[in-house]
Amino acid sequence: MAYPWILTVTWPVDMDNGDYPLIKPGPYWKKFKANFCEFTAVLIQQCQYSILYDSYLMDTVISLLTGLADSRVRAFRHTSTLAAVKLLTALVRVNLNLDVSKCNAQRLYQVEKNRISVKRTNQRLDQLERKRKEYEQKPLEIENMMNAIFKGTFLQRYRDVIPEIRAVCIEELGSWMKMYPDTFLNDSYLKYIGWMLYDKQPEVRLKCLLGLQGIYDKKELVSKMDLFTSRFKDRIVSMTLDKDHEVAVQAMKLLMLMSQNCEDALSSEDCETLFQFVYTTHRPLAVAAGEFLYKRLLSYQGTEEEVPPKRRGKFGANTCYIRKLITFFLDSELHKHVTYLVDSLWDWAGSLLKDWECMTTLLLETAEEELSDAQESALIEIILVTVREAAEGHPPVGRGAAKKILSAKEKKIQLEDCTKITEHFIVVLPQLLAKYSADAEKVANLLQIPQYYDLDVYSTGRLEKHVDALLSVVKAIVAEHSDMDVLEACSRTYYVLCNEELAIHKMADLARTQLMDELVDKLNKLLDDSWHEGEGFCTDEEGVCRIYSTLRRIAAFHNAHNLTKWNLYGKTSKLLVFEMEYGSLPVQMILPALQCTYFALLWQLASVVERSSSKETLLALNRELRFFCQICACYLSHKDQDLSEKAFMILCDLLMIVSHQSSLDDEAVGVLPNASLQSKMLLFIQDHVFMEEKEEIKDLTEEEEREKESYKLNDLHRRRSLLAAYCKLIVFTVVEMSAAAEIYKHYMKTYNDFGDIIKETLSRTRHNNKIQSARTLILCLQQLFQKHTETHGSTNSMDSSFTNIKELARRFSLTFGWDQVKSRESVAMIHKEGIEFAFQGAAGVEGKCLPPNLNFLLIISEFSNKLLKPDKRLVYSYLKRYITEPASCRGDEWHPLVWYRNSLLANEDEENSVISSLREWSPTSRSKTSSFKRKLSNGSLPETSHTETTNKTPDFLCTPELTAAAGKSRKKLKSQDTSFQECLPFFCPVGLSRRHSEDMIKAEDFSAEDVGEEVDVVGADQVCDGVYQPCTWPTGADQSLETTHPHPCYTGSRWRGQIKGGRAGQSGLAEEKEGPVLLAAAEAVGTVDSDYAAD
């Protein structure tokens, strides 16, 4: 036998290697797998008449496959298992063919035996007898082969550690049961599928469900599944909640088959549970649940003659099913989810859901069983949703990433449905509006139907008379209702009908003009009666209500219609100014007045943008916009919460719109918020979004608990809307990016409520300006640290507030992701600003006293792992410039400095000997980072001794162990220490005192010989256009945090030329008075781009 030798010679290979043909991706290997499976089937098929029973070939093959299936090598085990189960499948087919042949031979034998003795031949009879016995013997041999494969391979491998092998076994077992139920469809085999329903891998569970579907789909096989159904039904029901969507969908389909073919397999509780899946957001599962609901509850299996007579006639045959659908919707108590219910049933109950004639007849006609008010509301909502689904042709929000692309056939059906909707509701809708005109909820839903009309049908079908009927009913509804949903639906209906491309737009425009004339005249009369000279605005409660309702109607129409010719701005702004000065007007009247003023300004702005206007017009509009912003800013502190929040939302939207128009057109009106307005808006966010939660009241009833939860959800939605509106201003640079620091402070505390908004704001601002975004993060941490020091002292680093700041810094560092090259400038800026902040207050004392903000180094150490290895060395060298007396940096109080230093040197090869515990830093000879050739004015390069350099610039030094380890891996970084470190923008502040600063480097120039071949220019992943880009801050070191401006990594042609040519360009000498070290580093970087120099 060859297979033991194969196992022996392949034993040293990687046994868990996943690179073998059966699991390789790509069409070629998929075809190979299919051909491999086909080969086993063809082999058995070709050998089924003789060779299959020679007791050699199959015994050898089965022994080989069984032996390989026990191999520890994954490739052998998987391949042999697949071959073995496919071999068994082929043997099952052979056995089925033998059964057919056996039956035929038995029949021929009986026919020959029953012949009369004269015509019967013994030779023929003996031949048939031998053939019959042969067919009886062969299945026994096949059964033995099948048992050998099943026991030798399946029973060992269906529990294999590799899920692909388990899936292969279960998939083939399901096919054996379906093909050969007499042998395999019994409880001794079904138990394996039942057990594997609990498998951890979704692939295996899916194969189990698919195999069971093939069994439950055949009624003749279901009778053998009673015990299995009773044992594993609950498990299958629970699998509809599987985390894998495909498993859940197939479980739902299996339960539908069980419900159809197994009587009483599912209880009423099970069905009610499964019905609720029509509301799930995953559309395939919802559609499967919709099919289950339709076939279980809404479909009719009998003939049309069996329909009860009372359901026929004018109400139609679908009446009873529509009633059932309404009842199901109301019983589910998810009234806002009817859109999802209709979408789930759309593929299966399309004809029922498109029977609008039957639905409207139920609403208009009097039936024996009249609909209740709740049923009428539900039916109207169903009508609206079905009309929208038919007209738009795509699933609702949340059940698809984008709008569905319709095929030609689907578009044709959509057009036919739109025509059908229009022809039916043109006549019926006015009647429905007239009947339910007093019910605001029903009217608001019905008035949305005209949006989905094919309005050309009015003219092509000569149905203009129905336009007048609709407009008259809508006008009456406007006069009767003051609910904003109803008024906005009426306004939208007028907007649709007033489209200038329609033949009926003149009729609709005339009706709209008449309606607005009446409303404006009524408002003018009410305001004239309320304004009194010397007394101001004075009216009774009834007058306030009339003004309020009229303003609401006008505001609803002003949103979608240009009402500039009625000059509403002057009237409403007068009310706002009076309230701002005296504060005596009712809030319910100020809200619609504020909206009307806002819409009036937007329509003026739109007219200015669409066509060129004079300079005087632009200046006048600019004044009006600024004045309105002042009004809104005043209302931010109003005692009424609804009014203040409405003013804030309007102000945010207006600033966004105006800033967008200003970016498109230089001559457009531009209104940017000043510092005072920005501070007011930020204070509003802090008071209304990040306010402290009230203490919860205990011992509440169930109803009070539900009301409380509903209030909390609505309040959270309101606060999220306010925060999102403000964050948009930050993202689009309408307000200063530094304002985001106040938002970032609440990132940890309010992560569950606002974490997604804050993260998106951080991501967008970083995309806009990486450097400024980094400064905002460090500003946030600095402000929190200063607040901590004011409360707990500067040396307390064990308090929970300091721990929270450190955790916030860690969260900020995680937002930079894995691409260190992409974020290197931002992270370097954080370290630079953090080091400068940590050593504030150390100037003038030569570092002998402890800097008050030294603990801040512990916070910025969270960003050290985001630095590239070369940048860590540069940050480390920048840190050393702040320690002028290394010998004095001893003791526990300097632990933050040691911690931060070790975080920078953690990954350095030469710093492996650094220990994290505190130890004494003895002064040693200074690193070679300052050993440069100085270029004097006469061009000579005098040598400077190492001792002289050390004496001139004492620095932050390493331990002796560290120095010894450093010599082992200095080769590649020898030149980099001298050139690259001086080019990074870690400039020491001018205010920091240094001894012998007058002897420092004035300017630096490198030649190709100075650089040499040992320079390690980082790597290919840190270059741009093939050129290495250092992170630089070309700003002055004496600039404070508030005054510095962001500058990107300098990638000008001069720097590129220096790197490519192997030398640094000549740089002019700077004035010694400005700080030699700062100017030397600045000159080494190069000239700043003019765009950033202007900053």
Side-chain angles (χ1 to χ4, degrees):
M1 296 295 290
Y3 67 89
W5 176 81
I6 295 176
L7 292 177
T8 302
V9 299
T10 57
W11 191 265
V13 304
D14 185 5
M15 290 177 290
D16 293 328
N17 185 14
D19 187 17
Y20 55 94
L22 288 187
I23 62 173
K24 281 186 177 181
Y28 175 81
W29 296 110
K30 289 182 180 179
K31 186 177 180 181
F32 169 82
K33 181 178 179 180
N35 292 339
F36 178 73
C37 297
E38 184 182 0
F39 166 74
T40 59
V42 173
L43 175 64
I44 299 301
Q45 182 182 0
Q46 295 297 324
C47 300
Q48 62 179 329
Y49 299 109
S50 59
I51 304 178
L52 192 64
Y53 311 100
D54 63 358
S55 299
Y56 177 76
L57 174 65
M58 290 307 300
D59 291 350
T60 305
V61 171
I62 292 174
S63 299
L64 174 64
L65 295 179
T66 303
L68 290 176
D70 289 334
S71 172
R72 294 180 61 187
V73 182
R74 173 180 175 177
F76 286 169
R77 199 167 67 251
H78 189 181
T79 307
S80 60
T81 302
L82 177 62
V85 295
K86 289 296 181 181
L87 199 67
L88 199 154
T89 304
L91 291 174
V92 169
R93 293 194 182 96
V94 172
N95 213 357
L96 291 174
N97 294 334
L98 288 175
D99 289 342
V100 175
S101 300
K102 179 181 176 182
C103 293
N104 293 336
Q106 180 68 27
R107 206 163 43 245
L108 290 173
Y109 178 79
Q110 291 296 334
V111 170
E112 187 67 23
K113 188 176 181 180
N114 293 334
R115 286 185 178 183
I116 59 176
S117 58
V118 178
K119 297 181 179 181
R120 184 176 60 194
T121 60
N122 293 331
Q123 183 178 3
R124 173 66 176 169
L125 190 61
D126 294 341
Q127 183 181 3
L128 291 175
E129 176 67 16
R130 288 194 302 271
K131 200 168 188 178
R132 185 173 63 85
K133 291 181 179 180
E134 180 183 350
Y135 284 137
E136 289 178 354
Q137 182 65 27
K138 284 183 178 180
L140 296 178
E141 298 183 21
I142 297 295
E143 291 284 349
N144 293 332
M145 298 177 194
M146 292 165 55
N147 289 333
I149 296 175
F150 186 84
K151 293 179 180 179
T153 302
F154 180 88
L155 290 182
Q156 305 300 323
R157 299 278 66 82
Y158 86 96
R159 297 175 299 175
D160 196 279
V161 69
I162 304 301
E164 291 87 350
I165 299 177
R166 302 199 300 270
V168 165
C169 294
I170 296 301
E171 181 181 13
E172 294 303 315
L173 178 60
S175 65
W176 302 336
M177 292 179 178
K178 187 167 57 174
M179 293 167 55
Y180 201 27
D182 295 339
T183 300
F184 290 99
L185 192 58
N186 53 61
D187 296 333
S188 61
Y189 291 97
L190 283 169
K191 63 183 180 182
Y192 300 114
I193 292 184
W195 292 343
M196 301 311 289
L197 288 172
Y198 296 88
D199 195 274
K200 294 182 178 181
Q201 295 297 324
E203 179 184 359
V204 181
R205 300 195 298 271
L206 181 62
K207 296 299 182 182
C208 294
L209 294 172
L210 293 176
L212 291 173
Q213 286 180 16
I215 300 172
Y216 279 100
D217 193 27
K218 298 181 179 181
K219 290 186 177 182
E220 63 273 12
L221 302 180
V222 172
S223 59
K224 299 182 179 181
M225 303 290 292
D226 294 339
L227 181 60
F228 179 87
T229 302
S230 61
R231 172 65 179 82
F232 294 102
K233 184 258 297 181
D234 293 337
R235 169 57 183 165
I236 298 173
V237 172
S238 67
M239 291 178 74
T240 54
L241 295 170
D242 197 280
K243 63 180 182 180
D244 186 83
H245 291 313
E246 186 61 26
V247 173
V249 171
Q250 298 304 326
M252 183 65 70
K253 292 183 178 180
L254 175 60
L255 291 169
M256 183 183 62
L257 294 174
M258 294 171 62
S259 175
Q260 290 177 346
N261 299 326
C262 298
E263 295 182 2
D264 301 329
L266 299 178
S267 63
S268 58
E269 291 79 8
D270 294 331
C271 292
E272 290 177 1
T273 301
L274 298 176
F275 288 160
Q276 300 302 316
F277 281 92
V278 295
Y279 298 108
T280 186
T281 56
H282 184 62
R283 193 170 191 274
L285 179 59
V287 171
E291 181 184 3
F292 181 78
L293 173 63
Y294 175 72
K295 293 183 177 180
R296 182 88 180 187
L297 188 65
L298 302 177
S299 64
Y300 181 72
Q301 306 297 335
T303 61
E304 186 177 355
E305 288 74 11
E306 297 176 3
V307 179
K310 63 179 181 179
R311 299 303 180 205
R312 306 191 53 161
K314 61 182 180 180
F315 291 102
N318 288 327
T319 303
C320 61
Y321 304 116
I322 292 175
R323 287 179 177 272
K324 288 182 180 180
L325 180 61
I326 295 171
T327 303
F328 170 77
F329 173 59
L330 293 177
D331 292 342
S332 63
E333 297 182 355
L334 295 170
H335 302 283
K336 296 181 180 180
H337 296 75
V338 66
T339 305
Y340 295 95
L341 172 61
V342 170
D343 181 64
S344 302
L345 293 169
W346 193 257
D347 294 342
W348 302 100
S351 59
L352 173 65
L353 297 175
K354 293 180 183 179
D355 194 354
W356 296 295
E357 184 177 357
C358 180
M359 296 180 189
T360 53
T361 303
L362 274 174
L363 293 173
L364 294 174
E365 301 292 339
T366 303
E368 296 179 7
E369 299 178 10
E370 292 187 359
L371 298 176
S372 64
D373 183 69
Q375 289 176 331
E376 288 178 342
S377 299
L379 181 55
I380 290 174
E381 193 172 356
I382 290 173
I383 290 174
L384 172 61
V385 172
T386 54
V387 167
R388 183 190 299 125
E389 186 90 9
E392 294 181 349
H394 57 80
V397 177
R399 280 198 178 167
K403 290 186 177 181
K404 180 181 177 182
I405 300 176
L406 302 179
S407 62
K409 183 179 179 180
E410 290 173 334
K411 289 181 180 179
K412 182 180 178 181
I413 295 174
Q414 181 182 4
L415 294 175
E416 293 175 354
D417 290 340
C418 287
T419 304
K420 182 180 176 182
I421 291 169
T422 307
E423 292 175 350
H424 178 70
F425 284 98
I426 277 177
V427 180
V428 175
L429 184 60
Q431 302 175 27
L432 293 172
L433 291 173
K435 180 177 180 179
Y436 299 107
S437 59
D439 193 317
E441 180 183 359
K442 297 173 183 175
V443 168
N445 287 327
L446 289 171
L447 283 172
Q448 297 182 46
I449 295 178
Q451 302 177 45
Y452 309 104
Y453 280 0
D454 182 7
L455 295 172
D456 293 331
V457 175
Y458 272 112
S459 56
T460 57
R462 297 187 178 184
L463 301 173
E464 289 84 356
K465 61 180 181 179
H466 297 289
V467 178
D468 292 332
L470 178 61
L471 291 173
S472 61
V473 174
V474 174
K475 182 178 180 181
I477 292 173
V478 172
E480 183 178 357
H481 291 274
S482 60
D483 183 78
M484 188 55 69
D485 292 335
V486 177
L487 294 176
E488 288 179 353
C490 294
S491 174
R492 198 177 300 111
T493 302
Y494 274 103
Y495 179 79
V496 170
L497 297 176
C498 290
N499 189 352
E500 296 181 358
E501 298 179 358
L502 300 175
I504 61 172
H505 83 278
K506 293 184 179 179
M507 301 170 57
D509 184 61
L510 179 61
R512 179 184 60 181
T513 302
Q514 293 175 354
L515 175 62
M516 294 313 303
D517 285 338
E518 295 176 4
L519 291 175
V520 173
D521 291 342
K522 182 179 179 181
L523 178 64
N524 290 334
K525 186 176 183 305
L526 291 172
L527 292 178
D528 292 341
D529 295 340
S530 302
W531 289 110
H532 301 283
E533 294 184 4
E535 298 181 5
F537 189 88
C538 182
T539 185
D540 55 5
E541 185 176 353
E542 181 180 358
V544 170
C545 292
R546 295 173 65 185
I547 295 174
Y548 162 72
S549 60
T550 305
L551 282 172
R552 281 176 68 89
R553 294 183 177 93
I554 294 175
F557 276 83
H558 212 342
N559 189 9
H561 305 270
N562 189 358
L563 308 180
T564 306
K565 62 181 180 180
W566 282 277
N567 193 22
L568 295 169
Y569 175 79
K571 304 177 181 63
T572 55
S573 60
K574 186 177 180 181
L575 290 174
L576 297 179
V577 173
F578 185 83
E579 168 65 17
M580 184 173 62
E581 294 178 352
Y582 300 101
S584 59
L585 295 181
V587 174
Q588 59 181 359
M589 192 168 65
I590 297 301
L591 280 171
L594 187 66
Q595 287 181 300
C596 286
T597 308
Y598 171 58
F599 293 142
L601 289 174
L602 289 186
W603 282 110
Q604 293 182 41
L605 182 61
S607 63
V608 167
V609 173
E610 290 175 359
R611 49 183 175 272
S612 59
S613 303
S614 61
K615 188 174 182 180
E616 292 77 11
T617 304
L618 292 175
L619 292 175
L621 180 58
N622 196 8
R623 286 193 298 270
E624 292 176 353
L625 288 172
R626 293 183 182 278
F627 181 66
F628 182 71
C629 289
Q630 294 177 5
I631 294 176
C632 291
C634 179
Y635 285 151
L636 292 180
S637 58
H638 199 277
K639 59 183 180 181
D640 186 79
Q641 182 178 354
D642 293 337
L643 179 57
S644 61
E645 291 179 357
K646 191 67 177 179
F648 180 82
M649 294 298 294
I650 288 177
L651 182 59
C652 290
D653 291 343
L654 181 62
L655 291 175
M656 277 293 301
I657 294 171
V658 173
S659 64
H660 176 70
Q661 297 298 337
S662 301
S663 63
L664 294 179
D665 188 0
D666 295 337
E667 297 182 357
V669 178
V671 179
L672 294 178
N674 53 26
S676 175
L677 181 57
Q678 292 188 37
S679 62
K680 289 182 179 179
M681 296 178 71
L682 184 57
L683 181 62
F684 178 88
I685 287 294
Q686 293 174 341
D687 294 340
H688 289 75
V689 176
F690 299 114
M691 68 280 195
E692 296 182 359
E693 296 183 359
K694 300 179 181 179
E695 296 184 1
E696 297 185 358
I697 303 176
K698 300 181 179 179
D699 301 331
L700 298 176
T701 62
E702 292 184 3
E703 184 178 356
E704 291 175 342
E705 192 70 30
R706 285 195 299 268
E707 292 178 356
K708 177 185 174 182
E709 291 297 326
S710 177
Y711 171 78
K712 289 176 66 176
L713 287 176
N714 293 333
D715 181 66
L716 177 60
H717 176 72
R718 175 186 59 79
R719 292 160 62 193
R720 284 176 59 88
S721 300
L722 294 173
L723 181 61
Y726 184 74
C727 288
K728 281 195 296 184
L729 299 180
I730 298 175
V731 169
F732 291 96
T733 65
V734 180
V735 300
E736 294 292 337
M737 193 181 296
S738 58
E742 294 294 333
I743 307 296
Y744 297 158
K745 292 178 183 179
H746 305 276
Y747 179 62
M748 293 288 297
K749 185 177 180 181
T750 62
Y751 182 81
N752 293 332
D753 295 336
F754 311 114
D756 55 338
I757 299 176
I758 298 176
K759 284 177 66 176
E760 185 66 18
T761 303
L762 178 57
S763 175
R764 295 288 187 92
T765 53
R766 184 174 295 157
H767 182 267
N768 294 341
N769 192 323
K770 292 188 290 186
I771 300 300
Q772 189 62 27
S773 177
R775 281 180 170 152
T776 305
L777 292 181
I778 198 66
L779 175 62
C780 170
L781 297 174
Q782 289 172 356
Q783 292 176 352
L784 289 173
F785 181 81
Q786 288 176 342
K787 183 178 179 180
H788 165 76
T789 55
E790 293 173 359
T791 307
H792 302 87
S794 60
T795 59
N796 188 358
S797 62
M798 304 301 293
D799 191 82
S800 60
S801 64
F802 185 85
T803 306
N804 292 336
I805 301 173
K806 200 168 183 294
E807 177 63 19
L808 180 61
R810 188 185 71 84
R811 291 291 188 94
F812 285 162
S813 69
L814 293 177
T815 61
F816 286 100
W818 295 99
D819 193 348
Q820 293 177 317
V821 177
K822 184 178 180 181
S823 59
R824 65 179 309 205
E825 293 91 350
S826 302
V827 177
M829 172 61 73
I830 289 175
H831 282 275
K832 174 182 178 295
E833 300 283 347
I835 292 173
E836 292 176 356
F837 177 77
F839 287 94
Q840 279 183 1
V845 295
E846 297 185 354
K848 293 183 179 180
C849 70
L850 188 71
N853 299 332
L854 188 64
N855 281 337
F856 194 73
L857 294 176
L858 295 175
I859 296 175
I860 63 172
S861 66
E862 297 292 338
F863 298 91
S864 297
N865 61 340
K866 297 299 179 181
L867 284 169
L868 290 170
K869 184 177 179 180
D871 293 348
K872 284 186 178 182
R873 296 175 56 82
L874 296 179
V875 173
Y876 177 52
S877 65
Y878 185 64
L879 174 67
K880 292 191 294 184
R881 297 183 181 183
Y882 284 83
I883 307 300
T884 56
E885 293 292 341
S888 63
C889 300
R890 304 173 183 176
D892 294 344
E893 65 272 10
W894 290 94
H895 173 264
L897 182 62
V898 179
W899 182 277
Y900 181 59
R901 168 179 171 269
N902 291 342
S903 71
L904 295 175
L905 301 177
N907 295 327
E908 293 287 347
D909 296 335
E910 64 269 28
E911 306 296 345
N912 287 334
S913 62
V914 176
I915 59 175
S916 59
S917 60
L918 294 176
R919 59 188 306 167
E920 183 175 315
W921 293 348
S922 60
T924 61
S925 61
R926 188 171 179 262
S927 172
K928 296 182 180 181
T929 56
S930 299
S931 179
F932 299 110
K933 295 180 180 180
R934 281 122 176 112
K935 182 175 181 179
L936 302 180
S937 57
N938 56 2
S940 61
L941 295 172
E943 295 183 358
T944 304
S945 66
H946 181 70
T947 306
E948 179 183 355
T949 305
T950 305
N951 294 333
K952 287 183 179 180
T953 57
D955 216 331
F956 185 48
L957 303 179
C958 304
T959 60
E961 297 89 351
L962 191 151
T963 307
K968 299 180 181 179
S969 57
R970 284 287 184 189
K971 281 190 175 182
K972 295 188 68 178
L973 292 170
K974 182 176 67 175
S975 298
Q976 187 182 20
D977 286 340
T978 59
S979 61
F980 183 60
Q981 291 188 15
E982 292 299 327
C983 297
L984 197 82
F986 296 105
F987 306 140
C988 196
V990 174
L992 185 62
S993 175
R994 289 190 184 86
R995 291 181 299 170
H996 312 291
S997 61
E998 64 277 2
D999 297 327
M1000 292 264 179
I1001 305 168
K1002 295 183 179 179
E1004 197 71 38
D1005 189 15
F1006 300 99
S1007 64
E1009 293 77 15
D1010 295 331
V1011 176
E1013 297 180 356
E1014 295 179 343
V1015 178
D1016 186 9
V1017 191
V1018 189
D1021 56 342
Q1022 304 172 24
V1023 299
C1024 179
D1025 297 334
V1027 181
Y1028 173 66
Q1029 303 179 33
C1031 16
T1032 63
W1033 281 283
T1035 56
D1038 57 336
Q1039 289 177 315
S1040 64
L1041 181 68
E1042 292 78 10
T1043 58
T1044 53
H1045 298 284
H1047 292 278
C1049 179
Y1050 176 67
T1051 58
S1053 59
R1054 179 182 177 187
W1055 178 263
R1056 296 172 185 266
Q1058 294 171 8
I1059 295 294
K1060 292 180 180 178
R1063 64 180 182 84
Q1066 298 280 338
S1067 59
L1069 294 175
E1071 294 292 332
E1072 295 184 9
K1073 297 180 181 180
E1074 296 295 328
V1077 177
L1078 171 63
L1079 295 176
E1083 289 296 328
V1085 170
T1087 308
V1088 183
D1089 291 344
S1090 58
D1091 295 337
Y1092 300 104
D1095 267 0

